[in-house]
Amino acid sequence: MTTETQRNDRRDLRADLALCSVATAGPWTASGIGSWSADTKVDGITGDVYEDVDATFIAEARTGWPIAIERAINAEGELRRVREAIGWLRFAYERGDADEALAIAVSTFMREVDANE
């Protein structure tokens, strides 16, 4: 998938996370004068950019993006579980389950939500 395609489509977060994990571990630093660097086991790599904010982004992305991606993956999983539970509750409601049965289903759903916070 090309970078242009990724901008227009839903990203593959697991592929993005894998990309982060194979990048140079660093530490990555921004010099504050439009340069960034990363320490490697053998030597260092450096680069120049036009803006200091770009150097800061490059330096911070190596450690920040994996955390953000993992949180997004976890949030998508949680959203899937919530949607499934809501579907089950809707089914119980439409089937005409007694109020007590529906109350038990809602209570069970809320316990699951609370347990995954």
Side-chain angles (χ1 to χ4, degrees):
M1 186 179 283
T2 67
T3 302
E4 188 62 33
T5 302
Q6 286 177 335
R7 285 189 194 122
N8 296 324
D9 296 337
R10 188 179 170 114
R11 293 191 64 92
D12 180 344
L13 295 178
R14 295 198 186 281
D16 288 344
L17 189 57
L19 181 64
C20 290
S21 71
V22 297
T24 300
W28 290 74
T29 56
S31 68
I33 53 171
S35 296
W36 56 268
S37 64
D39 291 333
T40 64
K41 291 181 181 177
V42 178
D43 57 11
I45 56 174
T46 60
D48 294 320
V49 292
Y50 291 112
E51 302 287 335
D52 289 345
V53 293
D54 295 332
T56 301
F57 173 78
I58 291 167
E60 294 295 324
R62 174 59 182 91
T63 53
W65 274 113
I67 294 167
I69 293 169
E70 286 174 356
R71 288 179 66 189
I73 290 169
N74 291 338
E76 286 180 346
E78 184 64 22
L79 180 59
R80 229 178 347 269
R81 285 189 293 279
V82 168
R83 284 182 173 157
E84 288 171 6
I86 289 172
W88 189 88
L89 292 171
R90 181 179 292 136
F91 174 74
Y93 175 76
E94 290 171 353
R95 193 174 60 195
D97 283 350
D99 290 342
E100 184 179 347
L102 192 55
I104 292 169
V106 170
S107 177
T108 302
F109 168 70
M110 293 309 298
R111 276 196 307 275
E112 288 181 19
V113 168
D114 292 340
N116 289 310
E117 286 185 349

